[in-house]
Amino acid sequence: MSAASDGAPGATGGGDAARVAVVTGAASGIGLGIARRLASDGHAVALLDRNGPAAEREAAAIVADGGRAIGLECDVSDRPAVETAYAVVRGDLGPITIVVTSAGIESFDRIESISPELWDRVIGVNLTGTFTCLQLAIADMEEAGWGRMVTISSSSAQSGTSRMAHYVASKGGVIGLTKAFAHELAKRNITVNTIPPTLVDTPMARHAEQEGDVPPIDTIAGFVPLGRAGTPDDIAAACSFLCSEEAGYITGQVIGVNGGMYI
């Protein structure tokens, strides 16, 4: 685990107070982009990921740039592990008032070949893990009288995708879960929104390309109305706004950041 040692973070842009943010799946890809952006906004950030050494390394880089961050190994499908990680975050950084759930796994399988074990694993990480990470932060946000939750879902849950029934179901569940949380937590000044990316150039996407599960990223990018694949920074910019004071009247919304690929 790595952490800054220079006290509380400075004030964020736009008049926001500095907060403590947890970002899951933060060792690479979209999660890392979000963690870096929230740190640049002035928030203290806990990077949670199954790849603990990578999370620690990226947290150390944020610290080297003058931010406050810790990296923790955590499988979000393991509730006791999340509880332990959150206890460390509270002890090292303070109460958690921002949570972004970017941790996720994907698999490309024909419906007939999806085993019960694979189904449970995908749902366990993508949907149950999202529920756990949000639920366990509610008490901190309620005590603070302020909270921001952002889930990372997927446009595949809006359109459907072949050979990804388990993934689509999990991400569709994330969209529904987001709306349910938004309804129930609104009176506590906690907003809950979801970003469903389409094509984002990440290590996970490149791996799928290399395995032959999807066409080349550069080829797919040609079909995006804006003419390019998305980047983690594109998603992070929207997430930054949703986690700010200025977004206080936005909750329960599906915020498409997809270059016009899904409208």
Side-chain angles (χ1 to χ4, degrees), residues 34-262:
I34 292 168
R36 288 171 172 169
R37 177 59 185 261
L38 293 179
S40 73
D41 288 343
H43 303 301
V45 182
L47 290 76
L48 273 57
D49 200 280
R50 288 185 300 164
N51 187 338
E56 292 179 11
R57 182 174 63 251
E58 297 299 343
I62 290 172
V63 171
D65 285 339
R68 285 184 77 207
I70 57 174
L72 298 170
E73 182 172 340
C74 182
D75 181 340
V76 298
S77 69
D78 181 347
R79 186 181 181 93
V82 177
E83 292 173 336
T84 297
Y86 274 31
V88 173
V89 174
R90 292 181 181 109
D92 286 6
L93 301 178
I96 300 162
T97 51
I98 296 173
V99 176
V100 182
T101 57
S102 183
I105 58 174
E106 64 182 14
S107 185
F108 296 85
D109 307 278
R110 291 174 57 85
I111 293 171
E112 300 92 328
S113 66
I114 298 174
S115 67
E117 293 77 17
L118 179 56
W119 175 271
D120 288 346
R121 179 59 181 163
V122 173
I123 296 294
V125 173
N126 295 355
L127 180 55
T128 305
T130 294
F131 171 80
T132 298
C133 291
L134 298 183
Q135 185 194 45
L136 294 179
I138 292 173
D140 286 6
M141 296 181 183
E142 191 166 22
E143 177 67 22
W146 190 97
R148 297 286 187 266
M149 297 177 174
V150 180
T151 64
I152 304 300
S153 50
S154 171
S155 67
S156 66
Q158 299 169 297
S159 62
T161 302
S162 297
R163 298 193 304 121
M164 297 190 81
H166 35 16
Y167 180 81
V168 168
S170 70
K171 292 299 188 176
V174 168
I175 292 174
L177 184 71
T178 298
K179 292 175 179 287
F181 267 67
H183 270 288
E184 191 162 341
L185 300 180
K187 292 292 193 294
R188 306 183 216 181
N189 198 32
I190 300 171
T191 66
V192 194
N193 295 285
T194 190
I195 298 173
T198 303
L199 174 66
V200 181
D201 194 348
T202 64
M204 188 164 72
R206 290 293 178 178
H207 176 74
E209 174 188 274
Q210 292 168 4
E211 293 295 311
D213 292 319
V214 300
I217 301 302
D218 295 339
T219 298
I220 304 173
F223 294 96
V224 177
L226 285 182
R228 66 173 177 85
T231 68
D233 287 344
D234 291 321
I235 310 303
C239 186
S240 172
F241 174 68
L242 291 173
C243 292
S244 71
E245 292 288 347
E246 287 80 0
Y249 201 58
I250 302 172
T251 196
Q253 301 305 302
V254 180
I255 309 296
V257 184
N258 55 40
M261 191 72 164
Y262 180 88

